Amino acid sequence: VREYLRQSKSFSIKELEQALADCLETDLDIKSGRIAEDLAVELLLVKYSSPLFPKIYLKKKKRHESNFPLRKH
């Protein structure tokens, strides 16, 4: 737990809120079949390990926008 607390200090409250929202949205996308589970987790890891994360990803999304595009059938 100490390590997680130390790491969390590297992020602002807004960034942590966005990460939590992205995790929830990813979970819903997986459960609804919009994206494969492995790919969804990998995309989250890439997103949050990028040094450009705050500049690129904290733009406000529209409510209906997903983290991932619809999967083509």
Side-chain angles (χ1 to χ4, degrees):
V1 173
R2 287 182 193 153
E3 180 64 21
Y4 295 129
L5 289 173
R6 185 186 67 74
Q7 289 178 2
S8 72
K9 292 177 183 178
S10 300
F11 296 92
S12 70
I13 294 296
K14 185 174 181 178
E15 291 169 335
L16 292 171
E17 288 173 345
Q18 183 64 50
L20 185 58
D22 286 345
C23 288
L24 174 61
E25 193 167 351
T26 298
D27 184 54
L28 294 172
D29 287 343
I30 291 167
K31 289 178 178 174
S32 67
R34 293 179 72 155
I35 191 167
E37 187 175 335
D38 292 344
L39 178 59
V41 172
E42 288 175 11
L43 288 171
L44 275 176
L45 289 172
V46 168
K47 179 176 181 176
Y48 285 95
S49 63
S50 168
L52 299 176
F53 159 70
K55 294 177 184 174
I56 295 173
Y57 295 109
L58 286 179
K59 294 178 184 174
K60 220 163 176 107
K61 289 192 300 185
K62 294 178 185 170
R63 234 184 126 99
H64 68 279
E65 286 184 291
S66 172
N67 285 329
F68 311 107
L70 284 173
R71 187 166 56 173
K72 304 221 182 212
H73 297 282

